[in-house]
Amino acid sequence: MPSFLRSTRFRVAVTAFAASALALGAMSVWFVVQAQDRLENAATQIAFSRAQAIVQLLNTGARPVDLSLLVRDSIFEVTDRSGNRVVSCPALRGATLAAYDADVTLPPYVIDRADPASVGCAPELAGLDESLTVHVVHEVSGDSKYDVFAGVAIDPEGQAAVDSVRTVLTFGVPAVALLIGVIAWLAVRRSLRPVEAIRGEVAEIGAHDLSRRVPAPRTGDEIARLAGTMNTMLARLDEAVTRQSRFTSDASHELRTPLASLRTQLEVLLAHPDRLDWRHSCENALLDVTRLQDLVADLVLLGKLDHAGPDRLEPVALSEVAAAVVAGRDRIDVDVTGTPVVRGHRSRLERLLRNLVDNAQRHAASRVAVEVSAADGWAVLSVTDDGPGIPEADRERVFDRFVRLDDARASDDGGSGLGLAIVADIARAHGGTAAVEGGSRFVVRLPELKTS
């Protein structure tokens, strides 16, 4: 099947053509039938009134043979109860009048000039040389001696108008339906032109050129909203690819440093086995391996958070999380207000608080304070240290991955720059936020679970 037959504009055009042809055809048939019925009903009423007039004449004692002189310019016939024709206008001679209220096509006739009755009856019909269609009705005289048939020719001008309308509609309806189909094809083609432009632009966008955007029409319709949604998706994809590339680059750099240190130590140890302390060298190598292990664990966790599906969450009391994290640690004050409960992943919430406490302990001068509270439908978890604090300009980017500050808080003993990034991702995965308030106070807000 050719491709254009499968296109949307072709299907819409065909549908518009078929629907309009069906609708217009049905309306046209109804209109013509109604017009024809009106012509026939009008003829029936006139024929009925004439038949009634003839019956009244017969009931008043008029002779049937005198009817042609009394009732002029009419088409009628009178028969007795045996069916014998008593009197007849020329127009009905030879007609088989077996139908009641029916159209009858009369054969051609020529008025017999020798028949006076025929001259007195409907003289305007004289000389007709073609058949005449009349509408005939049947009445019975009051004394039931005669059957009266009266006929009226359907209005020729009205019939000509109906025939003309029928001819026009016969050829006009398909033409109008075809025109509607063409208009629909052109309209859909014009409407889908932006879609084709979007498709062409998307086809040219490669994995390394996600900065391009699809053209957005200014029509404000569904296609414009589609273009806007697609541009938003491309922006998110561009951001995700950029972030992933930066993350991969930073991760490879972070992994290279301990691996290089570990390799150097092992090479020196093997080259000078008699000059180095094997135990001390093994301890240093173990530190590097531990750092590698922690870094890999952080990277794996971040990867899980980036591609996390719906987890089986459970009610978690933040007071229990705080108690589990600070257990065995010195110089940490815990203040719990109320019993805030959140729906979440207990081990990850413990990891979130552990990272905050570890970060605070590395930079605290003397004390670390952990606070658990609830306010305005949010469970609030905060960790504060008495260290130098974070400059206001760095309070947002400190949650980015592999970020280390250059000030006093950058004196990090082995930190990889992923701890606070993990905090932000875990908070975001639980529908919450992480922020720095007041320089050295880290605050995490999570939706509180209302318990009855």
Side-chain angles (χ1 to χ4, degrees), residues 21-278:
L22 181 62
L24 293 175
M27 292 180 61
S28 300
V29 170
W30 177 85
F31 178 78
V32 171
V33 169
Q34 291 295 316
Q36 187 68 41
D37 287 343
R38 290 191 188 98
L39 286 176
E40 295 178 358
N41 290 336
T44 299
Q45 293 297 326
I46 297 174
F48 180 76
S49 63
R50 292 183 178 181
Q52 288 288 329
I54 294 174
V55 169
Q56 290 177 4
L57 288 174
L58 292 174
N59 290 338
T60 58
R63 295 181 306 170
V65 295
D66 297 331
L67 290 178
S68 60
L69 299 176
L70 296 175
V71 183
R72 301 180 63 84
D73 301 339
S74 296
I75 303 174
F76 68 93
E77 181 176 281
V78 179
T79 63
D80 59 19
R81 302 310 297 168
S82 300
N84 300 316
R85 182 180 290 111
V86 177
V87 64
S88 175
C89 284
L92 295 183
R93 289 180 180 175
T96 302
L97 303 177
Y100 175 69
D101 287 351
D103 288 334
V104 176
T105 300
L106 303 178
Y109 69 97
V110 176
I111 293 179
D112 185 0
R113 295 292 179 179
D115 187 350
S118 67
V119 176
C121 180
E124 77 280 1
L125 301 178
L128 287 181
D129 56 358
E130 59 184 18
S131 61
L132 178 69
T133 300
V134 299
H135 205 75
V136 179
V137 297
H138 173 215
E139 285 291 313
V140 180
S141 61
D143 55 6
S144 300
K145 292 182 179 180
Y146 303 106
D147 289 334
V148 178
F149 298 91
V152 174
I154 295 177
D155 181 15
E157 294 182 358
Q159 186 64 55
V162 171
D163 294 340
S164 177
V165 170
R166 182 185 292 111
T167 302
V168 170
L169 292 178
T170 299
F171 295 97
V173 167
V176 172
L178 181 60
L179 178 61
I180 293 175
V182 172
I183 293 175
W185 187 85
L186 294 175
V188 174
R189 180 185 179 186
R190 179 179 178 86
S191 299
L192 293 181
R193 190 174 299 163
V195 176
E196 181 62 23
I198 292 173
R199 187 204 63 79
E201 186 68 20
V202 171
E204 295 180 2
I205 294 177
H208 302 289
D209 191 19
L210 295 176
S211 60
R212 298 176 62 173
R213 297 293 179 265
V214 300
R218 298 180 180 180
T219 55
D221 56 6
E222 293 83 354
I223 297 177
R225 292 195 293 271
L226 171 64
T229 302
M230 186 165 293
N231 283 333
T232 302
M233 180 197 68
L234 287 173
R236 290 199 303 265
L237 184 60
D238 186 19
E239 180 183 358
V241 171
T242 301
R243 185 179 180 184
Q244 187 71 26
S245 177
R246 185 171 59 249
F247 175 75
T248 303
S249 177
D250 292 341
S252 62
H253 175 74
E254 293 295 328
L255 290 171
R256 187 183 300 114
T257 301
L259 284 174
S261 175
L262 180 60
R263 178 174 179 174
T264 299
Q265 294 183 58
L266 293 177
E267 288 177 348
V268 172
L269 185 60
L270 291 175
H272 307 284
D274 299 332
R275 299 181 184 179
L276 297 177
D277 184 355
W278 278 81

